[in-house]
């Protein structure tokens, strides 16, 4: 399957989908505090996306039961928001997708709950930095491997490891389109990037080993060694110059 290029008019619609994701993510992140029950974050996500005449992409996707993925501490991605209560010192990864007039936006961030450890803060900062490095490398006439390498080398330079089994992705009318965007790779390899490509770049970074497992709920991905994990994601459009972040405010 080929990478689908988006026209300026299509990117304008994706910009709106992305803005709705960004607003929702900010509202949910602002609600994070000790004592919050994860299912409350799901209800909040549903409400805010609905207020913007959009639909949550994740609800029902391959049977996923919620509108947001909430992954706490050693959980990497795809956590189901249930009855768990957040506690001071937790870190929580929030991943939200929205569909607006048929177009998708997808973004994620990890936030601390109250006061967190120095290691947890360093992990969050390194993962945010890895996303920034990846986005900076996502330019026309660069290779996809330049993006992957930028993400990996930043995370590893901070002493952390990148998850290998889950990857970023092209995005458009479908949440997951070509190309797959690994968080590891080599510069100069992979497809050439072109204006009109829209990519969801999403480093998942572990404090310990890169390996992961899936819990019995068949969704929640956790680090195999129980170490902390963080996740940041933006949907970006490749242009002739810097990539345009579609999921920022
Ligand atoms: Mg994604």
């Amino acid at each position: 399957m080929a990478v689908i290029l988006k026209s300026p008019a299509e990117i304008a619609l994706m910009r709106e989908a992305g803005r709705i994701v960004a607003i929702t993510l900010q509202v949910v992140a602002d609600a994070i505090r000790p004592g919050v029950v994860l299912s409350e974050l799901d209800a909040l996500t549903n409400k805010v996306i609905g207020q913007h005449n959009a639909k949550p992409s994740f609800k029902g996707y391959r049977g996923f039961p919620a509108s947001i993925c909430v992954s706490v501490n050693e959980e990497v991605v795809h956590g189901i928001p249930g009855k768990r209560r957040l506690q001071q010192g937790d870190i929580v990864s929030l991943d939200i997708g929205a569909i607006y007039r048929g177009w998708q936006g997808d973004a994620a961030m990890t936030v601390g709950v109250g006061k967190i450890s120095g290691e947890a803060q360093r992990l969050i900062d390194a993962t945010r930095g890895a996303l920034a490095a990846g986005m900076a490398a996502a330019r026309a006439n660069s290779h996809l491997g330049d993006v992957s390498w930028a993400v990996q080398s930043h995370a590893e330079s901070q002493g952390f490891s990148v998850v290998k089994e889950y990857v970023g992705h092209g995005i458009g009318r479908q949440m997951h389109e070509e190309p797959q965007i690994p968080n590891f790779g080599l510069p100069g390899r992979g497809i050439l990037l072109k204006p009109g490509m829209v990519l969801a770049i999403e480093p998942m970074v572990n404090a310990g080993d890169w390996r992961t497992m899936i819990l019995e709920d068949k969704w929640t991905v956790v680090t195999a060694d129980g170490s902390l994990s963080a996740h940041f994601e933006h949907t970006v459009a490749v242009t002739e110059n810097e990539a345009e972040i579609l999921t920022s405010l």
Side-chain angles (χ1 to χ4, degrees):
M1 211 168 63
V3 178
I4 303 167
L5 296 180
K6 279 77 184 181
S7 70
E10 291 170 336
I11 287 175
L13 287 166
M14 293 195 73
R15 196 176 284 130
E16 185 57 19
R19 196 180 70 88
I20 294 165
V21 169
I23 290 168
T24 309
L25 204 47
Q26 192 58 58
V27 169
V28 174
D30 288 346
I32 296 296
R33 56 181 60 86
V36 165
V37 178
L38 302 190
S39 59
E40 295 168 0
L41 304 176
D42 185 42
L44 190 56
T45 301
N46 241 318
K47 185 178 107 180
V48 178
I49 291 177
Q51 282 169 344
H52 290 86
N53 303 313
K55 287 211 169 96
S57 318
F58 298 173
K59 183 109 185 175
Y61 181 84
R62 296 187 180 174
F64 189 76
S67 300
I68 179 174
C69 295
V70 184
S71 308
V72 183
N73 295 337
E74 79 283 3
E75 297 174 356
V76 179
V77 286
H78 305 165
I80 299 170
K83 292 177 181 159
R84 181 175 184 162
R85 247 176 226 286
L86 291 175
Q87 295 183 6
Q88 166 111 283
D90 286 341
I91 63 170
V92 53
S93 297
L94 309 167
D95 191 352
I96 292 175
I99 311 169
Y100 177 76
R101 292 174 62 182
W103 293 92
Q104 304 263 351
D106 190 4
M109 67 164 79
T110 301
V111 296
V113 182
K115 185 167 168 46
I116 63 173
S117 71
E119 190 201 27
Q121 189 61 57
R122 282 192 298 280
L123 176 67
I124 289 173
D125 293 344
T127 310
R128 190 192 292 106
L131 173 58
M135 294 192 298
R139 304 174 76 100
N141 301 313
S142 293
H143 290 263
L144 191 61
D146 299 338
V147 175
S148 298
W149 166 247
V151 168
Q152 177 182 18
S153 57
H154 184 88
E156 292 181 350
S157 76
Q158 305 299 305
F160 300 120
S161 63
V162 290
V163 169
K164 298 197 164 81
E165 296 105 321
Y166 303 90
V167 298
H169 48 95
I171 181 169
R173 287 191 177 276
Q174 303 298 323
M175 180 160 56
H176 295 126
E177 296 183 354
E178 292 293 311
Q180 291 198 350
I181 309 171
N183 291 309
F184 62 97
L186 293 170
R189 302 286 181 88
I191 61 165
L192 269 181
L193 301 183
K194 293 182 191 166
M197 288 184 179
V198 182
L199 309 173
I201 302 173
E202 50 177 322
M204 292 151 253
V205 178
N206 296 348
D209 189 85
W210 59 270
R211 291 174 184 80
T212 64
M213 302 185 308
I214 298 176
L215 297 185
E216 279 181 2
D217 64 15
K218 302 252 184 9
W219 279 106
T220 312
V221 177
V222 297
T223 56
D225 64 5
S227 66
L228 294 176
S229 189
H231 180 207
F232 280 81
E233 176 179 25
H234 271 307
T235 298
V236 306
V238 177
T239 74
E240 294 289 355
N241 300 301
E242 276 179 32
E244 179 188 351
I245 304 175
L246 302 181
T247 43
S248 67
L249 293 176

